[in-house]
Amino acid sequence: MKRGLMAATAVAGMLVGVTACGSGGGTKTGADGFKGQKLTVWVMNGSNPAQWTEQVSAQFKKKTGATVEFKVQQWNGIQQKLSTALSEDTPPDVVEIGNTQTAAYAKAGALAELGDLKKEIGADWIDAFNKASIVDGKQYALPWFAGNRVVMYNKKIWAEAGLKGTPRTRSELFKAFDTIKKKTDAEPLYLPGQNWYFFDGLTLGTGADLVKQQGGRWVSNLGDPKVAKAMDIYKQYQAFSTAPKNKDEATPQQAEVFAKGRTGALIAMGYEAATAVKANPEMKKDIGFFTIPGESADKPEGVFLGGSNFAVAGMGKNQELAKEFLKVALSKQNDRQMVKESGWAPKSADLAGAAQENPAVAAAAPAAEKSGGTTPLIPQWAAVENIPNPIKSYMTAVLSGKSPADAAKDIEPEINARLAKQ
């Protein structure tokens, strides 16, 4: 991890033939033939809940005799850091990769194929979950979790404002925020200016995409009037917040802001409730969830279906042990624990019961079914998300007073340059 950083889409030149060069893990004598070894797994901040981590670690050690070390990474700058790590002779054995970024690493040759493993442990996974793990018809990762944003609200503050029930339309939601503003000393909504995954969901709701194909290549679609409409909706939400216009939801962690007890609501992932409760255990009883309402009651706001895959490093020296880890980590028991503990959507039908135990999952389901989507699952997309993320810059510019059309003109050359990288 000491080499110079590089964009994910530029990894290809350095990692050609990586999978062929990997050792494949050496020899073993069954799942219990790894006694005394240690496996390194990179996970992102907030991804691995405490009980899931504890039981996976214990089960893995019991099955293999090896130990697992989870190394928590920060989202800011992760693509460059991960690209560098996967090009090293001793990369992390297993890595968490965002579902929109997996194709770039697979195309670069940085990931091992896992087709046989998927057949063994994930034959009944819903296709929508597994889609982002497949590149050119081959399985280069395995889906770990996925979900979408909901409104996480403080029941105590809503009661202070005299609000009963939950809004079913966007206009009702905005009226509720306005009531909180007028009748309490709380901030109605904490929404930083660069929560671009929420913005991406809004574009889906207006029927737009952030990129498009033109002349056989991918280019920015930021200038589309439908994208401008989505940004206008975001601007209406953000008007109820005093959060910085040039920061994202992780700077600072918005759930920790919510934990202070004087924020009416967040646009949040279900797992963020645990972050808030950890910071302030007294808040547990006050946290509620509801589907982000759209323009009409029959169709929720558009949502980005975000999530992560687990992948095995193509140059990893412990590939067989890494596969044993995935068998444990992605077992039915542990997938059920992820749904219950973190509020992720169930990736197979028989996990529906676990979803009923988590109110965040129930709140997310209607939007996922009716209004959910993702960015194009293309290798070029990963470069767009590299820091500084140009879409975040576009959002800040519009929120600071620039017209969507002018902001798009300023930002599109950078997006197009990134999309053109092969």
Side-chain angles (χ1 to χ4, degrees):
M1 282 186 271
K2 302 257 194 290
R3 298 181 187 172
L5 299 181
M6 52 201 165
T9 51
V11 180
M14 296 187 68
L15 297 183
V16 171
V18 158
T19 304
C21 295
S23 70
T27 61
K28 69 177 186 65
T29 56
D32 59 349
F34 303 102
K35 187 175 182 180
Q37 295 187 34
K38 183 174 74 172
L39 194 79
T40 301
V41 178
W42 277 20
V43 293
M44 302 309 301
N45 182 47
S47 290
N48 60 316
Q51 188 172 334
W52 180 90
T53 301
E54 182 179 345
Q55 68 187 39
V56 166
S57 299
Q59 292 170 12
F60 178 70
K61 185 172 184 178
K62 182 178 180 180
K63 180 179 182 181
T64 65
T67 58
V68 57
E69 180 183 14
F70 290 97
K71 291 191 174 182
V72 177
Q73 309 296 320
Q74 301 301 314
W75 281 108
N76 193 27
I78 186 57
Q79 287 203 74
Q80 291 91 335
K81 185 175 183 180
L82 184 57
S83 297
T84 301
L86 289 174
S87 72
E88 296 289 339
D89 293 332
T90 56
D93 300 300
V94 177
V95 292
E96 175 188 348
I97 301 178
N99 59 354
T100 64
Q101 302 165 1
T102 301
Y105 294 101
K107 278 286 191 179
L111 310 178
E113 290 186 42
L114 301 174
D116 291 342
L117 195 58
K118 194 272 178 184
K119 293 176 183 177
E120 181 178 347
I121 64 175
D124 64 345
W125 289 338
I126 298 169
D127 288 343
F129 275 79
N130 196 53
K131 184 179 179 181
S133 299
I134 299 175
V135 181
D136 294 337
K138 295 182 180 180
Q139 190 89 29
Y140 283 103
L142 299 179
W144 184 16
F145 59 79
N148 53 276
R149 283 160 177 77
V150 296
V151 179
M152 184 169 86
Y153 73 107
N154 187 324
K155 296 177 182 179
K156 183 177 180 180
I157 288 176
W158 284 54
E160 286 179 20
L163 296 168
K164 298 180 180 180
T166 54
R168 300 184 67 244
T169 65
R170 189 190 304 137
S171 62
E172 289 179 3
L173 178 60
F174 289 169
K175 286 180 181 178
F177 289 156
D178 192 51
T179 299
I180 291 172
K181 183 177 181 179
K182 290 177 178 177
K183 295 188 175 183
T184 76
D185 64 350
E187 182 170 20
L189 172 71
Y190 183 86
L191 179 65
Q194 296 185 345
N195 187 334
W196 83 273
Y197 285 120
F198 176 46
F199 169 60
D200 183 41
L202 295 176
T203 67
L204 294 167
T206 63
D209 285 310
L210 295 176
V211 297
K212 63 183 178 182
Q213 278 198 298
Q214 186 177 81
R217 60 191 180 91
W218 290 98
V219 297
S220 170
N221 193 41
L222 220 54
D224 188 329
K226 293 179 181 178
V227 174
K229 180 180 178 181
M231 191 60 220
D232 180 66
I233 295 171
Y234 190 99
K235 192 173 183 179
Q236 293 177 59
Y237 272 94
Q238 218 273 331
F240 291 102
S241 175
T242 60
K245 293 179 173 58
N246 62 345
K247 302 291 183 181
D248 61 23
E249 67 275 22
T251 315
Q253 288 292 332
Q254 63 176 10
E256 294 179 355
V257 175
F258 185 81
K260 296 177 182 179
R262 300 313 298 167
T263 299
L266 297 180
I267 304 298
M269 300 296 290
Y271 70 80
E272 292 184 80
T275 303
V277 172
K278 183 178 180 180
N280 181 5
E282 293 297 319
M283 281 212 69
K284 185 174 183 179
K285 65 183 184 302
D286 296 326
I287 297 177
F289 304 90
F290 58 88
T291 308
I292 306 174
E295 188 170 353
S296 61
D298 61 334
K299 188 177 182 181
E301 201 80 272
V303 291
F304 172 79
L305 297 177
S308 287
N309 301 324
F310 267 141
V312 174
M315 290 183 70
K317 303 299 190 295
N318 301 308
Q319 290 185 15
E320 293 304 318
L321 183 57
K323 292 176 182 178
E324 293 300 327
F325 168 81
L326 292 179
K327 291 177 186 178
V328 172
L330 302 177
S331 70
K332 289 289 186 187
Q333 179 186 3
N334 291 318
D335 275 349
R336 185 172 291 109
Q337 182 62 31
M338 283 293 289
V339 172
K340 290 167 57 178
E341 192 173 359
S342 291
W344 296 111
K347 61 188 175 189
S348 58
D350 59 353
L351 295 178
Q356 295 174 1
E357 300 180 41
N358 192 307
V361 179
E369 179 183 355
K370 297 180 180 181
S371 311
T374 184
T375 55
L377 299 174
I378 56 173
Q380 297 93 328
W381 178 256
V384 178
E385 293 189 18
N386 278 340
I387 56 173
N389 185 325
I391 298 173
K392 291 183 178 182
S393 299
Y394 163 84
M395 295 172 69
T396 294
V398 175
L399 292 172
S400 299
K402 186 167 287 189
S403 73
D406 288 342
K409 288 179 182 178
D410 291 343
I411 299 299
E412 284 190 319
E414 174 62 22
I415 295 178
N416 290 339
R418 296 187 185 199
L419 290 169
K421 295 179 180 178
Q422 299 293 334

